[in-house]
Every structure is written in structure tokens, then in C-alpha cells.
Amino acid sequence: MIRMTVNGRTFDLDAKPHERLCDLLRRALGLYGVRVSCSEGECGSCTVIMDGEPVTSCLVLAMQAEGREVVTIEGLGSEDDLHPIQEAFIEEQGFQCAFCTPGFIMAAKAFLDENPDPTEAEAAMAMSGNICRCGAYPYIVKSVMNAAAKLREEGSVSNTG
Amino acid sequence: MIRQFGYLRPDSIDAAIVMKTRHGERARYWAGGTDLMLQWRRGEVMIDHCIDLTHLSGLDGIEALPGEIRIGAMATLDDLDQASSMHPVMQALGDTARLMCTKQTRTLATVGGNMCNASPGADLSPLFVALEARCLIEGPNGRREISMENFLTGVNRTALDGQELLRAIVVPVPQARREASYRRVARTVVDIALVSAAASLTADAGTIKDARIALGSVAPVPVRVTEGERLLVGRSLDDIDSAHLEEVAGHAATVARPISDVRAGAGYRTRMCPVLVRRALADALGRFGGDEE
Ligand SMILES: Cc1cc2nc3c(=O)[nH]c(=O)nc-3n(C[C@H](O)[C@H](O)[C@H](O)COP(=O)(O)OP(=O)(O)OC[C@H]3O[C@@H](n4cnc5c(N)ncnc54)[C@H](O)[C@@H]3O)c2cc1C
Ligand code: FES
Ligand code: FES
């Protein structure tokens, strides 16, 4: 049994010695927002946030995540209460089939936590670890810029409020 | 085929070495796993036991010590990026780290793993060679230290014997000012280098005291451009013009022994060597300008 915090809740999970973090999250917790595509670290669709940093969960052993705090797309917002980045992706149509979207949003979340006021070029560079087969890239960059503005606004409201 | 392995978690460096000694060749030290996971899943390496180094303390961290900077083997490429401002030599390493992998794999991939995997295309190796880096190695018979040039011995081969573990990489910080740069060509921003060059220049009172140039991806291990280096030593920084750089860089094409593969032909790689050497030298020279200490 290994203990880890996933989306704010602590779990004791029965991980196999060679099991990948992406597989454990899907198998044991049903977190199917963790999309596994290339399994080679290239496409970013399996991106989750571990201890505040974005990681490709297809390259992490579940055992390596013991004691860590993991956040997946399911931990960001809910259907009734979307996260500002999710809202921004809908507003800007930052997807077509949306297979890649959870990975992009988690990468964007980690990026905007570090750089709340990016240039468009910085946002595009920050998304270069994710692949979108539908080619929604221009809209994805717009979504990230929109999300940045939303989060800044939210920040300034909560600071004064 | 269903493949699996046992998982071992050492609580000290010594314990890790004992595990490796006991379980032998098919036990592997597991760092970021960004190379190992792929190699294992593709069946390129057989693993019976994974010796996980990620929960060990004492192997990570980047520390400025008198006369040197010590980079723990488990420091990630992202850590290297974040440590850019520590020193001019770290600037070049940080800039290089930022070129490598993707953000969400840089947070996993370690500096030690990049060296121990010993790919001819590993971006950090030419720069570490140009910076005279040394490897701190720990094994069943104690510690030893060797230069990066001697550590890298071939394609996916290092001077580590079966049980030894790379503990840290030490980058010397000379008294005189040192500036370095790494340049590469790759098909896309997230691709591996087709050919690359690193240059490091050390100057005192405006005169070059030491010059090191190393090429990457054009031989099993980084190749020094010693003839070119010799032309730089003793020169005044202000005297170096483009004709001179051209002459130095010209020697790069003669030492390269590249292969042709799906990504680039040997001819292209050879012709790019002088170009990249010139760019790396120009960067390093440029960094001396303006903000003299
Ligand atoms: C998407 C992607 C992009 C990449 N892009 C680049 C790139 O641009 N440039 C580049 O150079 N590389 C690139 N790589 C390759 C890889 O990320 C690096 O080589 C990385 O630094 C390896 O480190 P690791 O910690 O993941 O090593 P691991 O996979 O954990 O280990 C690699 C090897 O080193 C051994 N090892 C690791 N640490 C030690 C130690 N302390 N002592 C003894 N042996 C040890 C392991 O047993 C294994 O054999 C890329 C990889 C991916 C997946
Ligand atoms: S599935 Fe993990 S990066 Fe593609
Ligand atoms: S929206 Fe289809 S892969 Fe990106």
C-alpha cells in the first residue's frame, strides 16, 4: 500500500511495483481525465501536477509518487463550477475533439502559477510539451492568454475583497 | 508480453550500492526514468529490480562551494534551469537545460541520468566537457572522482563499473572570469540535437587563458576541438575578429566523425560543426562584453 494525496484527498493505494502513475490513477481511482497516448513523454496528454510541478505521468512509477500531492484535471473544477482555465478553453474553443485538453490545461495551470502575466510567445513556448492532433494550437494559446487574464482578475478581486 | 520488475527503495546511498551489488546487472538505478521507462517498455533493457533513487536525500540540490559548483546527480533539468543566475557557468547550463525535453519532462529528467545514459546526443555532455566538469562516483570500494571526458566512454557507456553510482557533477569556478555557451541544431524545439557545440572561455585582464570547445552528436562521445582551442589561448578578447573565429571553427569539421541516420546526413552534420562552434564562441565572447567585473 502506498499513500498519496490525489485532488486533495489522501488515499492508500495498492500499486504494483512496475505500475505507472497514469495507470494507477485510472485503474484505482477512475480518473480517466488522465489521458494516455504516446507513453513516451512526447505528447503531454498524461500531464498531471505533482507537488506543484507538471509531470508526464506515463514516465513516473506510481511508487515514485508515494507521499506526494497529485492534481489531475478532475481536481481543478467540476461541471457546475469550472476552473477559470477550463472556462477560458470553452470560450476560446481551445479544442476540437478535446482528447489533448486535460493535458494542455494541467500544463497551463502549472505555467500560469509560475508566470501569471505571460506574453503570447511565452504561452506558446510553455505549451510546446503538449501535442494536439486536431491542430487547435492558435486557439489553445488564446485560451491560455484568456485564462491568465481571468486568473489575474480573480486574484485582484480576492486581494481587495 | 507482460513485463514486470521488483521495486527496491534504499534509504541511503550505501544501501543503494548494496542492493545493486546483490542483484547485479538486471537491477537498475532508477532516477527520473525518462530514458529508462522507454528503454524498458521497448524491451531494450531487461530489468528485474528497480532501485528507486527518487526518495533518497543527499543526491539532489545544486550547491555553490568555494571554487566549484556541485550539482547533485538527482538534480532535475528544471532545477538546472532555475539555478541559472547562480554563476556565469550556470547560466550556460541553465540555458541548455531549457532547450531540453519539455517542461513536464524536465521536472523528472535528472542531470545524472542524462550523463549515465550516455547518449551521443545528450545535450549536457559537450557543455560539461567544455566546463571541465568532474564526476563524483560512489561504489562498494569508496569514492572516486574522474573528469567528464573520461566518464563518457561510448554509446550508452560510461566509466561506472557494475555497482557504482554517480553522486554529483562538479563544475569548477576558476578565479578568472569564465563564460560559456552551447548551441545546437534540432529539427524542432523538443527534438534531440542533430549536431551541437559547446565553448568555454576563461579570460584574465582581457586575455584568454583557457579555451575549450567540444562537439556533440558527431561521435560516440563529445569531441574536443583542440587545434581550434590552441589558436584562442593568449589572444586578447578585443582582437578576435570574424576571420579569426572562422579559422578556429574550421578545425571543428576535421575532428567530427558523424554518422548518417534518418534525422540528418553525415555531410550536413560535418558542415554544421564550424557554424555551431562559431555561434557558441560568439555567444561566449559577447558575454564578456559590457559588464566587465
Ligand atoms: C520527451 C523527451 C524529450 C527528451 N529530450 C531530450 C533532449 O532534448 N536532450 C537530451 O539530452 N535528452 C533528452 N531526453 C532524454 C532524457 O530525458 C535525458 O537523458 C534525462 O536527463 C535522463 O535522466 P533520467 O533521470 O530520466 O534518467 P533515467 O532514465 O532514470 O536513467 C538513465 C540511465 O542512467 C542510469 N542512472 C541514472 N542516474 C544514475 C546515477 N545517479 N548513478 C548511476 N546510474 C544512474 C540509469 O540506471 C539508466 O541506465 C528526452 C526524453 C524525453 C522522454
Ligand atoms: S502519454 Fe505521456 S506524454 Fe504522451
Ligand atoms: S483537440 Fe483533438 S487532439 Fe487536441
Side-chain angles (χ1 to χ4, degrees):
Chain A
M1 284 288 190
I2 58 169
R3 176 165 293 196
M4 69 175 86
T5 305
V6 183
N7 297 333
R9 283 179 56 197
T10 304
F11 295 93
D12 288 310
L13 302 168
D14 199 5
K16 297 178 206 129
H18 57 275
E19 191 167 24
R20 302 178 299 175
L21 178 60
C22 59
D23 297 326
L24 179 72
L25 294 170
R26 292 171 62 92
R27 176 181 66 80
L29 297 173
L31 297 172
Y32 299 116
V34 181
R35 305 270 165 83
V36 184
S37 181
C38 71
S39 283
E40 303 218 334
E42 298 270 350
C43 76
S45 70
C46 65
T47 302
V48 302
I49 296 178
M50 185 161 80
D51 287 351
E53 293 183 329
V55 298
T56 46
S57 58
C58 70
L59 296 181
V60 179
L61 292 173
M63 292 300 199
Q64 291 181 293
E66 179 165 11
R68 313 281 188 107
E69 208 170 301
V70 176
V71 183
T72 71
I73 189 73
E74 289 87 348
L76 222 54
S78 63
E79 248 172 79
D80 316 318
D81 184 20
L82 293 175
H83 187 276
I85 304 177
Q86 292 170 314
E87 283 174 358
F89 269 72
I90 294 171
E91 282 169 23
E92 303 293 344
Q93 303 186 20
F95 48 80
Q96 286 179 43
C97 76
F99 186 88
C100 66
T101 311
F104 269 101
I105 290 181
M106 296 318 284
K109 166 84 172 81
F111 169 62
L112 294 174
D113 283 347
E114 235 176 57
N115 185 351
D117 194 4
T119 64
E120 231 176 87
E122 286 168 343
M125 193 43 129
M127 294 298 104
S128 64
N130 295 73
I131 290 175
C132 172
R133 194 216 51 180
C134 296
Y137 298 111
Y139 303 94
I140 290 168
V141 174
K142 273 192 190 164
S143 306
V144 176
M145 296 304 285
N146 179 342
K150 280 185 195 296
L151 288 164
R152 284 200 304 275
E153 199 171 307
E154 199 175 71
S156 67
V157 170
S158 64
N159 283 346
T160 51
Chain B
M1 183 175 68
I2 298 166
R3 265 178 273 123
Q4 44 191 330
F5 51 68
Y7 175 86
L8 301 170
R9 182 180 296 173
D11 55 14
S12 68
I13 294 169
D14 286 344
I17 294 166
V18 168
M19 286 171 180
K20 179 79 174 124
T21 309
R22 178 175 316 143
H23 294 288
E25 205 186 313
R26 285 169 69 139
R28 295 299 280 261
Y29 293 124
W30 196 285
T34 64
D35 282 319
L36 216 42
M37 182 76 93
L38 303 192
Q39 292 162 358
W40 174 67
R41 286 175 56 90
R42 290 173 183 159
E44 292 164 7
V45 301
M46 295 299 152
I47 301 177
D48 289 341
H49 296 278
C50 148
I51 304 172
D52 184 7
L53 303 180
T54 41
H55 297 271
L56 269 185
S57 58
L59 282 175
D60 51 0
I62 301 175
E63 239 183 315
L65 301 169
E68 63 187 40
I69 289 170
R70 187 180 293 216
I71 303 168
M74 290 296 286
T76 64
L77 299 179
D78 201 52
D79 294 336
L80 207 54
D81 176 5
Q82 312 285 336
S84 294
S85 56
M86 229 162 130
H87 189 272
V89 303
M90 290 304 292
Q91 180 73 48
L93 284 164
D95 290 348
T96 304
R98 218 168 308 122
L99 290 175
M100 298 167 68
C101 304
T102 63
K103 173 71 182 183
Q104 52 268 63
T105 47
R106 282 200 290 279
T107 51
L108 298 169
T110 66
V111 176
N114 196 236
M115 292 305 94
C116 293
N117 189 56
S119 158
D123 285 302
L124 290 175
S125 11
L127 186 54
F128 275 137
V129 166
L131 290 172
E132 293 181 90
R134 305 188 307 276
C135 296
L136 293 190
I137 296 170
E138 186 123 353
N141 305 316
R143 289 185 189 186
R144 64 188 179 111
E145 202 176 309
I146 60 172
S147 70
M148 186 59 76
E149 263 185 287
N150 292 330
F151 180 80
L152 299 166
T153 56
V155 178
N156 300 129
R157 281 187 24 226
T158 68
L160 292 177
D161 77 15
Q163 294 90 44
E164 283 176 325
L165 179 145
L166 177 62
R167 205 186 157 110
I169 293 157
V170 176
V171 181
V173 174
Q175 289 277 303
R177 185 162 164 195
R178 171 169 287 182
E179 295 287 355
S181 173
Y182 173 78
R183 287 296 201 107
R184 71 173 197 177
V185 280
R187 206 171 43 84
T188 66
V189 285
V190 292
D191 210 359
I192 212 105
L194 299 173
V195 42
S196 67
S200 134
L201 297 173
T202 312
D204 203 9
T207 303
I208 296 179
K209 297 293 178 201
D210 186 72
R212 275 157 212 271
I213 305 169
L215 304 172
S217 284
V218 294
V221 296
V223 185
R224 289 271 299 277
V225 187
T226 42
E227 291 293 318
E229 294 171 357
R230 242 188 303 254
L231 292 174
L232 287 163
V233 177
R235 282 276 182 150
S236 153
L237 286 170
D238 302 329
D239 278 0
I240 298 172
D241 56 18
S242 58
H244 189 225
L245 281 188
E246 210 64 55
E247 190 189 354
V248 173
H251 287 286
T254 60
V255 294
R257 294 176 279 136
I259 54 160
S260 289
D261 64 12
V262 288
R263 296 179 304 128
Y268 171 77
R269 286 190 161 105
T270 305
R271 281 194 296 279
M272 282 311 288
C273 287
V275 177
L276 291 170
V277 167
R278 188 158 19 83
R279 286 179 190 164
L281 282 171
D283 282 348
L285 284 167
R287 288 180 174 172
F288 279 100
D291 52 359
E292 288 290 333
E293 276 172 306

